[in-house]
Amino acid sequence: MSATTEAFFAGLGAGALRLPPTIDATLRFDVRYSDHTEQWWLRFAAGTVAAEQSGADADCVAVIDGPLFERLLRGEERLTPAFVRYAFTIEGDFTMVPAFEWLLPDMVGARHPRQLAQGWGRAR
């Protein structure tokens, strides 16, 4: 298991989550590396999420390459654009993809749109 993956899932219990309380489902990631596959099972319920390393059945199963998964967890890439370009596959309730995206960090180097607009005003 990579340090990025371990730190991300260990940190899910700490701090406030931005999850709607209506989500009640499970999600499993089958993370494929060249020599092995890791399975991460997440349970979303009442605005909380619990994660464990397990291959248990889930409402949604995503199969993803390890390096891409780690870039997502570091905020170097976004989940929805990766899905749109078929970088990973989903089976089951695909509405769980946005639920997981709420857990991910902001993109590295991202700025608020107002900050960007203020910069445009100075450039004119």
Side-chain angles (χ1 to χ4, degrees):
M1 171 181 0
S2 76
T4 301
T5 306
E6 188 175 349
F8 176 80
F9 286 112
L12 282 182
L17 297 177
R18 304 174 289 172
L19 295 173
T22 56
I23 298 174
D24 186 14
T26 55
L27 169 65
R28 188 181 79 219
F29 278 97
D30 292 346
V31 185
R32 293 187 174 168
Y33 292 93
S34 59
D35 58 343
H36 70 285
T37 299
E38 294 179 3
Q39 294 179 311
W40 288 94
W41 186 85
L42 291 91
R43 171 77 175 142
F44 293 82
T48 64
V49 63
E52 62 184 63
Q53 206 166 0
S54 170
D57 288 339
D59 298 315
C60 177
V61 177
V63 180
I64 189 168
D65 289 330
L68 171 60
F69 191 65
E70 291 175 19
R71 287 193 307 274
L72 291 168
L73 300 182
R74 288 191 301 263
E76 296 170 0
E77 192 149 351
R78 299 303 312 156
L79 192 65
T80 301
F83 174 67
V84 170
R85 69 174 187 271
Y86 302 109
F88 66 97
T89 61
I90 295 175
E91 183 178 315
D93 183 6
F94 70 92
T95 61
M96 292 305 299
V97 172
F100 182 72
E101 194 161 28
W102 289 322
L103 302 175
L104 296 173
D106 292 331
M107 284 288 292
V108 173
R111 296 186 301 178
H112 191 279
R114 288 189 184 128
Q115 291 174 319
L116 188 60
Q118 289 169 354
W120 286 343
R122 287 188 294 254
R124 292 182 183 182

